[in-house]
């Protein structure tokens, strides 16, 4: 595989049926549902799966008997990992810079390099590629989603 492509995913542009921005409880629920409907699903998250849940010491308003935020965040991460292993979902780490809606698709421009969650190298002494061999981009590419709801 050449630079910019890992496991068939182009770091600059990728098509998906459903693009979920954010891997909190609602985002993971949307990804699980979309993947269960056999839709090509991609989740974009800037930080760890569960985000702010990691800082919540007690939960009282979430079903499932979770007592702390970190417990729920761990369960969400496990759900996404299961979907990724099954090839039903892709999780990318990055930040959205701009979203553009079209009649037949949406485009999302990314600020940070696109890489599989947890695999980007932050070693600035390395080459302009991350440790997966993908090109780093300062104003990274776009992810397209068809069939906007």
């Amino acid at each position: 595989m050449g630079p910019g492509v890992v496991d068939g995913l182009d770091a600059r542009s990728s098509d998906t049926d459903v693009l979920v921005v954010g891997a909190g409880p609602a985002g993971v629920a949307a990804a699980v549902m979309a993947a269960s409907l056999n839709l090509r699903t991609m989740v974009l998250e800037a930080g760890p799966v569960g985000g702010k849940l990691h800082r919540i010491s007690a939960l009282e308003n979430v079903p499932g008997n979770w007592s702390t935020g970190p417990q729920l965040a761990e369960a969400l991460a496990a759900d996404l990992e299961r979907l990724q292993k099954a090839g039903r979902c892709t999780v990318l780490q990055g930040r959205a810079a701009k979203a553009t809606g079209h009649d037949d698709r949406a485009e999302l421009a990314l600020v940070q390099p696109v890489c599989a969650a947890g695999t980007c190298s932050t070693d600035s002494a390395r080459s302009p590629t991350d440790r997966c061999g993908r090109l780093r981009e300062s104003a990274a590419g776009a992810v397209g989603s068809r069939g906007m709801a």
Side-chain angles (χ1 to χ4, degrees):
M1 283 179 246
V5 178
V6 173
D7 296 330
L9 178 67
D10 186 308
R12 294 176 191 212
S13 179
S14 298
D15 285 334
T16 185
D17 294 318
V18 177
L19 174 63
V20 178
V21 179
V28 173
V32 168
M33 178 56 75
S36 75
L37 296 172
N38 293 319
L39 297 171
R40 292 174 302 164
T41 305
M42 188 176 295
V43 177
L44 176 67
E45 174 58 58
V49 172
K52 293 179 181 155
L53 287 173
H54 293 279
R55 298 188 303 265
I56 298 174
S57 60
L59 291 177
E60 297 177 2
N61 61 345
V62 179
N65 295 322
W66 307 109
S67 59
T68 69
Q71 287 175 335
L72 178 53
E74 186 176 312
L76 296 174
D79 284 340
L80 287 179
E81 185 176 333
R82 176 181 51 83
L83 291 174
Q84 287 183 94
K85 284 182 180 178
R88 299 171 68 194
C89 181
T90 302
V91 179
L92 303 177
Q93 197 167 26
R95 291 189 186 276
K98 178 182 175 185
T100 306
H102 302 276
D103 289 341
D104 62 340
R105 71 189 185 287
E107 294 178 354
L108 185 66
L110 306 175
V111 174
Q112 295 181 348
V114 174
C115 53
T119 63
C120 281
S121 171
T122 56
D123 183 357
S124 60
R126 292 183 59 124
S127 71
T129 62
D130 65 22
R131 69 181 179 205
C132 293
R134 290 172 287 209
L135 295 174
R136 294 178 192 241
E137 297 179 7
S138 57
V143 175
S145 179
R146 297 184 184 145
M148 292 175 37

